[in-house]
PDB file of all heavy atoms in Angstrom:
ATOM      1  N   TYR A  86    -146.514 -41.169 -14.459  1.00 98.00           N
ATOM      2  CA  TYR A  86    -147.168 -42.444 -14.131  1.00 98.00           C
ATOM      3  C   TYR A  86    -148.533 -42.197 -13.486  1.00 98.00           C
ATOM      4  O   TYR A  86    -149.536 -42.822 -13.852  1.00 98.00           O
ATOM      5  CB  TYR A  86    -146.321 -43.275 -13.166  1.00 98.00           C
ATOM      6  CG  TYR A  86    -144.937 -43.626 -13.644  1.00 98.00           C
ATOM      7  CD1 TYR A  86    -143.898 -43.757 -12.731  1.00 98.00           C
ATOM      8  CD2 TYR A  86    -144.643 -43.834 -14.984  1.00 98.00           C
ATOM      9  CE1 TYR A  86    -142.614 -44.098 -13.137  1.00 98.00           C
ATOM     10  CE2 TYR A  86    -143.357 -44.162 -15.398  1.00 98.00           C
ATOM     11  CZ  TYR A  86    -142.351 -44.295 -14.469  1.00 98.00           C
ATOM     12  OH  TYR A  86    -141.090 -44.621 -14.869  1.00 98.00           O
ATOM     13  N   ARG A  87    -148.564 -41.296 -12.511  1.00 98.00           N
ATOM     14  CA  ARG A  87    -149.826 -40.999 -11.820  1.00 98.00           C
ATOM     15  C   ARG A  87    -150.852 -40.422 -12.785  1.00 98.00           C
ATOM     16  O   ARG A  87    -152.026 -40.810 -12.767  1.00 98.00           O
ATOM     17  CB  ARG A  87    -149.589 -40.004 -10.677  1.00 98.00           C
ATOM     18  CG  ARG A  87    -149.081 -40.626  -9.398  1.00 98.00           C
ATOM     19  CD  ARG A  87    -149.092 -39.628  -8.230  1.00 98.00           C
ATOM     20  NE  ARG A  87    -148.326 -38.414  -8.512  1.00 98.00           N
ATOM     21  CZ  ARG A  87    -147.014 -38.289  -8.339  1.00 98.00           C
ATOM     22  NH1 ARG A  87    -146.314 -39.299  -7.882  1.00 98.00           N
ATOM     23  NH2 ARG A  87    -146.408 -37.148  -8.621  1.00 98.00           N
ATOM     24  N   ALA A  88    -150.426 -39.479 -13.624  1.00 98.00           N
ATOM     25  CA  ALA A  88    -151.364 -38.819 -14.532  1.00 98.00           C
ATOM     26  C   ALA A  88    -151.958 -39.810 -15.537  1.00 98.00           C
ATOM     27  O   ALA A  88    -153.155 -39.753 -15.831  1.00 98.00           O
ATOM     28  CB  ALA A  88    -150.676 -37.668 -15.257  1.00 98.00           C
ATOM     29  N   ILE A  89    -151.138 -40.704 -16.064  1.00 98.00           N
ATOM     30  CA  ILE A  89    -151.666 -41.698 -17.007  1.00 98.00           C
ATOM     31  C   ILE A  89    -152.693 -42.584 -16.309  1.00 98.00           C
ATOM     32  O   ILE A  89    -153.812 -42.771 -16.815  1.00 98.00           O
ATOM     33  CB  ILE A  89    -150.534 -42.540 -17.621  1.00 98.00           C
ATOM     34  CG1 ILE A  89    -149.678 -41.688 -18.557  1.00 98.00           C
ATOM     35  CG2 ILE A  89    -151.111 -43.756 -18.376  1.00 98.00           C
ATOM     36  CD1 ILE A  89    -148.416 -42.383 -19.062  1.00 98.00           C
ATOM     37  N   ALA A  90    -152.335 -43.131 -15.155  1.00 98.00           N
ATOM     38  CA  ALA A  90    -153.265 -44.013 -14.436  1.00 98.00           C
ATOM     39  C   ALA A  90    -154.535 -43.261 -14.042  1.00 98.00           C
ATOM     40  O   ALA A  90    -155.650 -43.793 -14.181  1.00 98.00           O
ATOM     41  CB  ALA A  90    -152.578 -44.606 -13.217  1.00 98.00           C
ATOM     42  N   ASP A  91    -154.386 -42.034 -13.562  1.00 98.00           N
ATOM     43  CA  ASP A  91    -155.560 -41.241 -13.174  1.00 98.00           C
ATOM     44  C   ASP A  91    -156.442 -40.918 -14.376  1.00 98.00           C
ATOM     45  O   ASP A  91    -157.680 -41.010 -14.291  1.00 98.00           O
ATOM     46  CB  ASP A  91    -155.127 -39.938 -12.495  1.00 98.00           C
ATOM     47  CG  ASP A  91    -154.558 -40.162 -11.102  1.00 98.00           C
ATOM     48  OD1 ASP A  91    -154.668 -41.285 -10.559  1.00 98.00           O
ATOM     49  OD2 ASP A  91    -153.974 -39.195 -10.554  1.00 98.00           O
ATOM     50  N   ASN A  92    -155.831 -40.532 -15.506  1.00 98.00           N
ATOM     51  CA  ASN A  92    -156.615 -40.231 -16.707  1.00 98.00           C
ATOM     52  C   ASN A  92    -157.404 -41.447 -17.164  1.00 98.00           C
ATOM     53  O   ASN A  92    -158.595 -41.337 -17.497  1.00 98.00           O
ATOM     54  CB  ASN A  92    -155.698 -39.767 -17.847  1.00 98.00           C
ATOM     55  CG  ASN A  92    -155.177 -38.367 -17.671  1.00 98.00           C
ATOM     56  OD1 ASN A  92    -155.581 -37.646 -16.763  1.00 98.00           O
ATOM     57  ND2 ASN A  92    -154.259 -37.970 -18.540  1.00 98.00           N
ATOM     58  N   LEU A  93    -156.757 -42.602 -17.210  1.00 98.00           N
ATOM     59  CA  LEU A  93    -157.444 -43.817 -17.670  1.00 98.00           C
ATOM     60  C   LEU A  93    -158.557 -44.221 -16.717  1.00 98.00           C
ATOM     61  O   LEU A  93    -159.625 -44.665 -17.143  1.00 98.00           O
ATOM     62  CB  LEU A  93    -156.443 -44.953 -17.858  1.00 98.00           C
ATOM     63  CG  LEU A  93    -155.473 -44.751 -19.019  1.00 98.00           C
ATOM     64  CD1 LEU A  93    -154.410 -45.841 -19.027  1.00 98.00           C
ATOM     65  CD2 LEU A  93    -156.223 -44.731 -20.344  1.00 98.00           C
ATOM     66  N   HIS A  94    -158.320 -44.042 -15.440  1.00 98.00           N
ATOM     67  CA  HIS A  94    -159.354 -44.377 -14.459  1.00 98.00           C
ATOM     68  C   HIS A  94    -160.549 -43.423 -14.583  1.00 98.00           C
ATOM     69  O   HIS A  94    -161.696 -43.859 -14.635  1.00 98.00           O
ATOM     70  CB  HIS A  94    -158.776 -44.333 -13.044  1.00 98.00           C
ATOM     71  CG  HIS A  94    -159.769 -44.681 -12.001  1.00 98.00           C
ATOM     72  ND1 HIS A  94    -160.216 -45.974 -11.807  1.00 98.00           N
ATOM     73  CD2 HIS A  94    -160.437 -43.906 -11.118  1.00 98.00           C
ATOM     74  CE1 HIS A  94    -161.107 -45.982 -10.841  1.00 98.00           C
ATOM     75  NE2 HIS A  94    -161.261 -44.737 -10.412  1.00 98.00           N
TER      76      HIS A  94
END
Side-chain angles (χ1 to χ4, degrees):
Y86 301 148
R87 278 190 304 275
I89 291 172
D91 288 349
N92 286 353
L93 291 173
H94 181 73

